[in-house]
Amino acid sequence: MRIKIALKVNGQQKSLEVDADRTLLEVLREDFRYHGAREACGAGVCGACTVLLNGKPVSSCLLLAWMADGAEIETIEGLAQGEKLHPIQQAFVEEGAFQCGFCTPGMILAAKSLLDQNPEATEEQIKDYMEGNLCRCGSYPKVIKAVKSVQAKMGGGQGAK
Amino acid sequence: MLDVYLAREVEGLSYQYIGQSQVRSDGIEKVTGRAGYVYNMEIPNMVHAKVVRSLVPHGRVKSIDVSKATKLPGVLLVFTRDDVDAGIYPFFGPVVNDQAVVAIDKVRYVGDIVAAVVAEDPRIAEEAADLVEVEYEELPAVFDAEEAVRPDAPLVHEKLNLPPWGFSDVRATLHPIDGTNIVNHFRVRRGNVEQGFAEADYIFQDTYRLPAVQHCPLEPHATIARYESDGSITVWSNTQTPFLVQAQVAQTLGIPQSRVRITVPFLGGGFGAKTYPKLEPLVAVLALKTGRPVKLSLTREEEFITITRHAATVTIKTGVKRDGTITARQTKILWNTGAYADIGPRLSKNGGYASVGPYRIPNVWVDSYCVYTNMPPAGALRGYGVPQVSLAYETQMDRIARELGFDPVEYRLKLALDEGDSFATGDIIHSAGFRELLRRAAQAIDWKDKSYKQLRGSTVRGKGIACTIKSTITPSTSSAEVKMFEDGSISLLTSTVEMGQGSDTALAQIAAEALSIPVESIRVQHPDTFVTPYDLTTSSSRSIYHMGNAILLAAEDAKRQLRDRAAEIMRVSPESLEVRDGRIVSKTDHRYGIPFGEAVKGVGPSHGSIIGHGLFSTVGGLDPETGQGKASEFWFAACGAAEVEVDTETGKVRVTKYYASSDAGKAINPVACEQQNEGSAINGLGHTLFEQMLFDNGQPINNTFLDYKIPSFLDLPHDLVTEVVETPHRNGPFGAKGMGETAISPVAPAIANAIADAVGVWVTELPVTPERVLQALQEQNLKHDGAGEGNQ
Amino acid sequence: MKSFEVVFPERIDEAVLALKDAGAEGKAIAGGTALLVLMKNKLYSPKHLVSLGKIDDLKRLAYTPGIGLTIGSGVTEHELEAAPFVRDKFPVIAQAAHAIGNIRIRNVATIGGNLAHADYQCDPPAALIAMGAEVKLYGPDGERTVALEDFFLGPYETVLRQGEIITQILVPDPPQGATGRYFRFTSGSAADRPCVSVAICLTFEQGVCSWVRVALGAVAPTPIRVKEIETLLEGKVADNGLIDEAARIASVSCEPLSDTRGTDWYKREMVRVLVQRGLQSLINGAGCLSC
């Protein structure tokens, strides 16, 4: 069964017809050619497939594409403006908050959503919000550092103190 | 030549590019999501494979019915043993050719590959794979290594298919035992253990058990293969060992290695899982049979059963004199290598001698058995056997110290190997600062402060320390090329795989230092066996030392050529010139010189490029009977210190502080060293506290991230501190050795020792679940009650 | 995942009709976070899905003083954990909703889906049972209301009949001055599902509990309300001895199921510890809660 849906991805509006059983992740990767979101666990646990749906992080591997009908979606590809990195991306580079990089787009989007809602998040709140973004390389301490450094630059949060 | 760099440091001269934190060069690609992984790659005209896996742990394949699958629209090929023709050599494996691209006669574990389907769309391939019907004649299976070594155990392999080639260090010491499941019995025989035990005042004997765990790289195994019109094959694979895969694919297809191109982009984590051929031989065959580029990516569920860390049973017996001197140590280790040996034979060797620990022990007897079972294959995982044996020797070390009334740190300081001491294999220790590591670790957790033991409700606190020794793969070879272009820019060609460890940046730093040019002007080429020169493997924390040395040699070669060309242009003798800040200048007057690019061009029409080549090789090997000789080119030393809180009502252990340190020789990129220490510590915490693969009669029951948890943000110790110690190695580039996996091994024993410190319970089994701790606490209380001490 | 048909009713009765038509091959889907894991692994492959996502009536979350909380089955776990009146008046529910999965799951998963899925290791059921929740069901035979403690029959089994869906969860206002908390014990990673969880709500005045509700999750095949404790404690001076006795009763009366997160023996022990600590902390403001 095919279903007509409309998605606005990284500001670009697109109408398409998708098989009912295709996930949002498959559509983003195959139809939009955005490869920053990846399926690493297939069960909504690891966060490698994180995208923002109307500003909120979701597991795109566990969402059928038609569930996102009419939504605005932001992937990692939508963050930088041309070659200018988003401040969170910049902080991740500077603090070394990545190793193999496979989880990194999801980490950054989760961090963005957190800081959009709670710019002053404490370290405990950062951990609590991002607990579902897994990194086997163990970049967590540096991710926390990066998020705090963004807060410091924004003039808020624990990082500023 | 190498000593020159070391001497520079000794003389107090500072480095320009190494030894200071460098922002990683792979950052922008990774934070923008643009970084290339095989998982993300698409090749024009590509089709997709899905494998059919055994549902029984051990059985003869009676029949395979592919008729339904073949009929599904979009299916190109259903490949089974019936399609293995004379042109295909189906068997592979780094030591024993015991694994087949698809099952030939038997399946040996739940998940063993029986057939492969290729279709236009991955979803069709998956659907078709479900339609393949396989009939088995089930055979008795054996899952536990302790059971598999019994005389009446079912045989997983009836005979061993040993190829005529192989790693010299493994082949020399390989002792399979015919008619058993033992694929290797590695031994160390040093001194006289019987006499040693006779001289001892006390004998300690303990047995430790560790379950299988999985690497869980976030990018699962993925391979794409394409047959080219010239009869060569291109394979994109997320492998840590491109050249070993090249040799294997050549063998599988019966074509020259010069026609096998393995290219490796970024890896989404490796941790040892991606060493040695895995999917490549099969995917190469599928590409040959379909004539289309074929991609195979594993799901998380499949990843769990593709390769694991060896479950192990470690028995350790130690003779000790009243003054603490260790007179003898005997260890027996059973490594459950699963259905296929993979690199188990070498791991049982390295883990075997490592089981003696970093202490002065004159009499040693090691029996290390690599054992086949009907479980998923086990291979290399960060630490390479050392995490298993170090739990044994470092936990027992604390037990000895406590029972003899010594301070565990002081006791280790007394016995730890020092510069010039002889290790269990006869190797002479150099550049392994155990004492320095121990002192710093003790300081980091305020070891002397005993006030921490005070009770708070049902919570008891404790501290523990552990230190570990690890070898690197020896002998081995790395080679590098420095390619200079006529604009002076440089391409560094190595086959080191960037799998997250930061090698692109660190190797560029080494080249920059050697060539005296900024790191940013060097581009590091990722492995491509048609382009980049040979390297044995990106594993064993070996790249900084081996590839680093190859780069230094390549840089020297390039500089020699630069000087020659510049001398011709400048009409002076090459000996009067030197390289400085991107220029070739006169030794006597640095203002007089020409830029690199001009020198590259040479006299006459532009020569276009200069290629400097460097090859670095080590030697070594052990006596097959005694395990004596040279086991390792150098030795990794690490220390861990833990502060824990044990809840005596729930058994829950919380690691409140963890300190991880390793001796890197020299930190080339300090921030990357921090990342490696942090990563090792966090990885080790998972293995220690909760990770374990669970099976029911060989059926995996927790092979998803829903049920097999890896550490999350919430599992971090409140305080995680890491440190790098630098005891320069005389042959290391700038004194460096490496350190990627060094800090993982002390984690479990440091935590185990902290638990013992807190509540007197000795951990003998991982993971340290609260249930196990509570059980041990209750048994301890019963014992005390029985002894009339009756406390509660 | 096997292919399927899907319909998008906009009204409850349309959804029920669609489900009835689909029969045994049909399944209602809301957030889908639990269902899709099963479907992707082909453990369950319905041929007809009835999406509840376009039914606005299911998405209402409201609090009426004196009546209580009305939670539409389509309310997400995150909406539930974040709503100020839930956090304020029904902290046990907010805490349990927060404990689920991760923020991405909570942004999508609905409370109705959670209950209908009947996974015994899930957090909200015990909390809702402790708060005396009822579920409103609507099916081909009309509407009925069931106490949540009677809703679950076993792992993945409920009283829901063919074609019936959960429309609302009703949580009555607790007595004046009630306090409560959701206690969750994990035996592995802190991000794991619970080994044992305990939801406790009570009112406590001058040493006496006048109203007590205790429910256990992840212990038995279904979440269970421990009425024996409620009877034991209500109207009595809750001293240490009584609290210990309550914990003992909870431990012996539950019938734990061994799973990968703990054996029945261990779960029994943890029920005792959690109930004891939970009561202590609510009654005396003491006890270690960091489990």
Side-chain angles (χ1 to χ4, degrees):
Chain A
M1 179 185 179
R2 291 174 72 77
I3 300 171
K4 277 197 179 123
I5 60 169
L7 298 175
K8 192 172 182 186
V9 183
N10 298 331
Q12 185 197 346
Q13 186 75 42
K14 200 164 168 175
S15 296
L16 61 168
E17 209 179 84
V18 295
D19 283 331
D21 60 351
R22 284 178 79 209
T23 62
L24 177 62
L25 178 68
E26 286 170 333
V27 170
L28 289 173
R29 291 178 62 86
E30 293 164 14
D31 299 20
F32 287 84
R33 327 295 297 172
Y34 287 135
H35 287 171
R38 295 119 191 193
E39 179 157 329
C41 79
V45 180
C46 75
C49 69
T50 303
V51 299
L52 303 184
L53 186 122
N54 295 331
K56 293 183 293 187
V58 297
S59 290
S60 62
C61 81
L62 218 53
L63 202 72
L64 293 168
W66 50 260
M67 291 175 166
D69 183 22
E72 221 172 288
I73 289 157
E74 192 168 11
T75 73
I76 191 70
E77 287 85 356
L79 241 59
Q81 297 196 317
E83 287 307 299
K84 189 172 164 27
L85 296 180
H86 184 280
I88 299 175
Q89 291 174 312
Q90 189 63 39
F92 268 61
V93 173
E94 283 166 12
E95 299 294 342
F98 65 90
Q99 288 182 36
C100 83
F102 209 72
C103 72
T104 309
M107 283 279 179
I108 290 172
L109 288 168
K112 177 174 188 289
S113 159
L114 168 69
L115 293 178
D116 284 349
Q117 292 167 41
N118 184 4
E120 311 240 316
T122 63
E123 179 163 334
E124 287 316 302
Q125 288 170 330
I126 296 170
K127 287 181 180 176
D128 182 62
Y129 192 84
M130 296 184 68
E131 61 152 315
N133 286 83
L134 299 178
C135 171
R136 188 51 149 177
C137 301
S139 65
Y140 302 130
K142 302 239 179 301
V143 170
I144 295 169
K145 239 177 126 182
V147 173
K148 285 183 176 175
S149 90
V150 177
Q151 290 177 319
K153 278 182 191 148
M154 296 190 314
Q158 301 294 301
K161 287 167 196 163
Chain B
M1 195 281 297
L2 303 172
D3 290 334
V4 173
Y5 292 100
L6 197 53
R8 196 171 152 170
E9 170 123 283
V10 174
E11 285 163 23
L13 291 169
S14 62
Y15 293 115
Q16 277 181 287
Y17 304 110
I18 67 114
Q20 43 205 304
S21 286
Q22 172 80 26
V23 170
R24 288 177 54 154
S25 60
D26 49 351
I28 291 171
E29 282 167 282
K30 288 179 175 175
V31 302
T32 53
R34 293 201 296 254
Y37 302 91
V38 178
Y39 168 83
N40 270 348
M41 288 182 71
E42 288 172 16
I43 304 295
N45 217 19
M46 181 172 90
V47 289
H48 299 267
K50 181 82 186 171
V51 297
V52 179
R53 294 178 180 275
S54 171
L55 301 174
V56 303
H58 196 192
R60 229 164 269 293
V61 179
K62 278 170 70 180
S63 66
I64 308 173
D65 183 355
V66 302
S67 55
K68 284 183 197 152
T70 316
K71 278 187 204 122
L72 197 72
V75 170
L76 277 74
L77 171 71
V78 182
F79 184 83
T80 71
R81 60 185 179 182
D82 300 330
D83 304 295
V84 176
D85 54 36
I88 299 165
Y89 183 71
F91 301 105
F92 68 97
V95 178
V96 187
N97 279 178
D98 55 2
Q99 201 159 0
V101 292
V102 288
I104 301 297
D105 54 346
K106 293 208 297 184
V107 287
R108 295 182 176 87
Y109 76 100
V110 175
D112 214 349
I113 296 177
V114 185
V117 177
V118 182
E120 295 284 352
D121 181 283
R123 286 169 284 259
I124 298 173
E126 190 182 329
E127 201 182 332
D130 290 340
L131 296 174
V132 175
E133 288 167 9
V134 187
E135 216 186 319
Y136 304 97
E137 174 199 335
E138 276 207 58
L139 298 169
V142 62
F143 306 113
D144 188 286
E146 293 172 60
E147 279 164 28
V149 293
R150 290 191 191 138
D152 57 345
L155 282 186
V156 180
H157 293 269
E158 286 71 21
K159 62 178 174 42
L160 288 190
N161 180 8
L162 284 168
W165 44 266
F167 304 110
S168 67
D169 67 312
V170 185
R171 290 303 288 264
T173 54
L174 191 69
H175 289 290
I177 301 178
D178 280 349
T180 74
N181 285 313
I182 296 168
V183 56
N184 190 20
H185 172 201
F186 172 76
R187 307 131 203 204
V188 177
R189 308 285 184 251
R190 181 175 171 84
N192 183 335
V193 276
E194 275 177 34
Q195 199 185 320
F197 284 125
E199 286 168 5
D201 295 314
Y202 306 96
I203 304 283
F204 290 81
Q205 181 167 332
D206 300 284
T207 297
Y208 299 84
R209 290 186 177 82
L210 299 94
V213 294
Q214 220 267 340
H215 312 65
C216 301
L218 278 210
E219 181 195 26
H221 284 81
T223 297
I224 303 171
R226 178 175 70 192
Y227 243 81
E228 309 293 354
S229 52
D230 66 353
S232 67
I233 186 166
T234 307
V235 179
W236 293 266
S237 183
N238 53 15
T239 178
Q240 298 174 236
T241 52
F243 281 89
L244 297 174
V245 167
Q246 182 197 36
Q248 182 60 61
V249 170
Q251 184 200 25
T252 306
L253 301 178
I255 59 176
Q257 291 181 7
S258 62
R259 291 190 179 276
V260 180
R261 178 181 196 175
I262 311 292
T263 73
V264 186
F266 286 122
L267 261 61
F271 316 111
K274 294 167 180 171
T275 49
Y276 309 106
K278 293 283 184 289
L279 307 177
E280 300 89 349
L282 171 62
V283 181
V285 167
L286 298 177
L288 170 73
K289 291 286 175 187
T290 56
R292 298 273 295 273
V294 177
K295 179 173 187 175
L296 175 58
S297 284
L298 297 188
T299 62
R300 179 59 50 194
E301 288 80 356
E302 290 178 296
E303 180 66 23
F304 269 104
I305 51 171
T306 294
I307 191 75
T308 65
R309 181 173 95 176
H310 288 80
T313 306
V314 187
T315 301
I316 180 165
K317 181 180 166 189
T318 307
V320 190
K321 277 187 179 293
R322 265 184 205 90
D323 68 357
T325 315
I326 298 181
T327 56
R329 175 163 280 174
Q330 182 172 4
T331 65
K332 180 187 169 189
I333 310 143
L334 296 176
W335 305 93
N336 187 335
T337 207
Y340 300 104
D342 197 84
I343 201 60
R346 179 189 272 144
L347 188 137
S348 56
K349 164 173 74 78
N350 297 16
Y353 58 67
S355 69
V356 182
Y359 302 107
R360 292 179 188 138
I361 305 174
N363 305 299
V364 172
W365 182 283
V366 174
D367 290 302
S368 184
Y369 299 94
C370 184
V371 185
Y372 281 129
T373 63
N374 296 108
M375 295 295 266
L381 193 158
R382 204 172 202 171
Y384 207 69
V386 180
Q388 290 96 323
V389 296
S390 64
L391 174 71
Y393 69 70
E394 276 304 83
T395 309
Q396 193 189 57
M397 199 69 183
D398 256 43
R399 202 163 83 77
I400 296 169
R402 285 176 191 279
E403 292 196 17
L404 268 58
F406 301 124
D407 174 272
V409 171
E410 294 300 326
Y411 186 49
R412 284 185 175 80
L413 283 170
K414 176 183 152 119
L415 291 182
L417 293 175
D418 219 337
E419 184 82 13
D421 279 344
S422 174
F423 180 58
T425 51
D427 284 66
I428 302 302
I429 294 296
H430 163 63
S431 170
F434 292 109
R435 289 193 160 67
E436 175 71 5
L437 286 162
L438 279 162
R439 279 190 212 102
R440 290 207 204 179
Q443 206 171 17
I445 58 165
D446 218 348
W447 176 255
K448 296 269 184 224
D449 175 15
K450 301 289 174 190
S451 60
Y452 59 85
K453 273 207 155 183
Q454 288 164 350
L455 300 184
R456 197 188 69 213
S458 61
T459 302
V460 188
R461 305 176 73 193
K463 293 180 183 179
I465 273 187
C467 71
T468 57
I469 185 165
K470 187 188 170 296
S471 58
T472 192
I473 185 170
T474 306
S476 82
T477 295
S478 291
S479 40
E481 279 171 8
V482 167
K483 189 170 181 180
M484 305 183 118
F485 297 94
E486 60 179 26
D487 63 355
S489 66
I490 286 168
S491 181
L492 178 61
L493 280 70
T494 80
S495 294
T496 295
V497 176
E498 176 56 88
M499 53 189 180
Q501 80 279 39
S503 55
D504 278 2
T505 312
L507 295 181
Q509 284 177 276
I510 291 175
E513 193 69 46
L515 293 164
S516 185
I517 51 158
V519 180
E520 293 74 21
S521 54
I522 297 170
R523 180 187 175 274
V524 180
Q525 171 66 44
H526 286 168
D528 177 342
T529 59
F530 274 11
V531 176
T532 54
Y534 178 84
D535 180 41
L536 178 66
T537 171
T538 303
S539 62
S540 205
S541 311
R542 65 180 286 283
S543 300
I544 285 292
Y545 182 92
H546 296 81
M547 193 55 79
N549 272 329
I551 290 169
L552 292 188
L553 292 165
E556 281 310 307
D557 187 25
K559 286 197 291 194
R560 182 186 51 73
Q561 297 178 55
L562 273 176
R563 275 195 302 267
D564 285 351
R565 288 192 195 172
E568 207 182 337
I569 295 167
M570 293 161 73
R571 297 171 194 275
V572 294
S573 78
E575 292 72 31
S576 69
L577 299 175
E578 65 179 11
V579 169
R580 184 171 282 264
D581 296 329
R583 287 159 57 85
I584 319 293
V585 296
S586 159
K587 278 180 181 168
T588 50
D589 183 354
H590 290 162
R591 289 168 304 174
Y592 181 57
I594 58 171
F596 275 7
E598 290 307 311
V600 170
K601 284 181 190 159
V603 172
S606 173
H607 295 10
S609 65
I610 277 178
I611 297 175
H613 190 84
L615 182 142
F616 182 80
S617 234
T618 59
V619 293
L622 296 177
D623 180 87
E625 298 307 319
T626 64
Q628 298 297 293
K630 182 185 174 188
S632 185
E633 173 72 4
F634 55 81
W635 296 90
F636 296 110
C639 211
E643 287 182 16
V644 304
E645 289 181 2
V646 183
D647 185 329
T648 54
E649 287 182 346
T650 63
K652 186 124 176 169
V653 175
R654 265 167 32 113
V655 179
T656 48
K657 176 167 184 169
Y658 191 80
Y659 164 89
S661 65
S662 48
D663 187 341
K666 170 82 189 168
I668 300 295
N669 188 8
V671 69
C673 292
E674 265 174 42
Q675 291 179 324
Q676 289 305 302
N677 275 340
E678 286 169 357
S680 290
I682 293 165
N683 203 334
L685 284 167
H687 293 161
T688 304
L689 294 175
F690 45 81
E691 289 183 41
Q692 62 176 326
M693 290 180 67
L694 297 169
F695 296 87
D696 178 13
N697 276 315
Q699 304 283 343
I701 58 174
N702 66 340
N703 57 334
T704 70
F705 277 179
L706 288 165
D707 290 314
Y708 183 106
K709 292 307 212 185
I710 64 172
S712 75
F713 276 101
L714 295 180
D715 298 306
L716 295 180
H718 183 261
D719 212 356
L720 177 61
V721 184
T722 69
E723 196 171 23
V724 175
V725 167
E726 296 179 322
T727 312
H729 192 284
R730 66 173 80 91
N731 294 327
F734 314 105
K737 295 183 298 184
M739 46 81 73
E741 59 195 317
T742 312
I744 195 171
S745 301
V747 180
I751 290 172
N753 291 337
I755 294 168
D757 182 46
V759 294
V761 163
W762 292 102
V763 168
T764 57
E765 204 168 348
L766 293 188
V768 188
T769 59
E771 179 160 357
R772 282 191 173 133
V773 175
L774 188 68
Q775 241 165 3
L777 283 166
Q778 294 196 349
E779 277 162 25
Q780 191 186 47
N781 284 344
L782 280 178
K783 254 190 248 165
H784 286 178
D785 289 347
E789 291 167 28
N791 66 343
Q792 250 312 339
Chain C
M1 195 169 355
K2 298 213 167 132
S3 58
F4 52 81
E5 302 284 314
V6 55
V7 292
F8 303 94
E10 290 178 6
R11 288 190 359 227
I12 293 169
D13 53 351
E14 285 171 12
V16 167
L17 206 62
L19 279 169
K20 192 185 168 203
D21 287 348
E25 306 272 21
K27 184 79 182 170
I29 184 166
T33 52
L35 195 56
L36 284 168
V37 172
L38 298 176
M39 287 170 64
K40 284 173 88 171
N41 290 306
K42 285 171 269 182
L43 295 169
Y44 177 57
S45 301
K47 287 204 173 120
H48 300 276
L49 287 186
V50 177
S51 167
L52 305 180
K54 290 197 156 76
I55 307 174
D56 291 338
D57 281 351
L58 298 180
K59 295 183 182 175
R60 295 203 185 98
L61 173 61
Y63 173 67
T64 317
I67 295 176
L69 198 59
T70 310
I71 313 169
S73 61
V75 168
T76 66
E77 311 283 9
H78 182 65
E79 286 164 347
L80 199 53
E81 69 169 308
F85 50 82
V86 179
R87 298 170 84 117
D88 188 35
K89 309 261 182 214
F90 303 85
V92 185
I93 295 173
Q95 288 158 12
H98 179 70
I100 295 174
N102 54 54
I103 183 64
R104 300 183 308 279
I105 298 297
R106 297 197 295 275
N107 276 334
V108 174
T110 64
I111 185 68
N114 181 299
L115 299 180
H117 188 54
D119 180 336
Y120 76 103
Q121 292 176 330
C122 236
D123 298 278
L128 288 165
I129 286 175
M131 293 301 295
E134 294 180 322
V135 281
K136 255 193 192 172
L137 313 179
Y138 190 87
D141 302 330
E143 194 173 57
R144 59 180 177 138
T145 303
V146 178
L148 187 61
E149 57 176 297
D150 300 326
F151 176 78
F152 301 101
L153 299 176
Y156 311 107
E157 257 187 279
T158 69
V159 301
L160 278 173
R161 297 174 191 145
Q162 181 75 55
E164 205 171 33
I165 61 167
I166 304 170
T167 55
Q168 275 182 347
I169 297 101
L170 309 168
V171 190
D173 250 340
Q176 196 72 37
T179 59
R181 200 164 155 174
Y182 180 68
F183 302 90
R184 187 178 199 264
F185 178 78
T186 55
S187 55
S189 163
D192 198 3
R193 290 161 167 236
C195 164
V196 165
S197 69
V198 178
I200 307 177
C201 313
L202 51 82
T203 55
F204 179 73
E205 222 173 322
Q206 289 159 350
V208 178
C209 294
S210 53
W211 177 79
V212 181
R213 290 291 178 272
V214 178
L216 309 178
V219 177
T222 66
I224 39 177
R225 181 171 158 198
V226 196
K227 288 184 184 157
E228 296 94 321
I229 300 185
E230 300 170 6
T231 330
L232 177 78
L233 292 174
E234 278 175 0
K236 299 213 188 74
V237 176
D239 58 13
N240 289 347
L242 199 64
I243 288 174
D244 289 351
E245 176 60 6
R248 194 192 63 78
I249 289 173
S251 171
V252 295
S253 69
C254 66
E255 285 173 27
L257 194 71
S258 286
D259 59 30
T260 58
R261 289 161 178 90
T263 62
D264 54 350
W265 167 78
Y266 187 66
K267 290 196 174 209
R268 230 183 250 287
E269 289 289 302
M270 289 312 97
V271 166
R272 188 180 56 74
V273 174
L274 254 68
V275 169
Q276 196 264 350
R277 289 183 184 180
L279 288 170
Q280 279 289 359
S281 81
L282 290 173
I283 291 169
N284 298 327
C288 167
L289 302 176
S290 60
C291 43

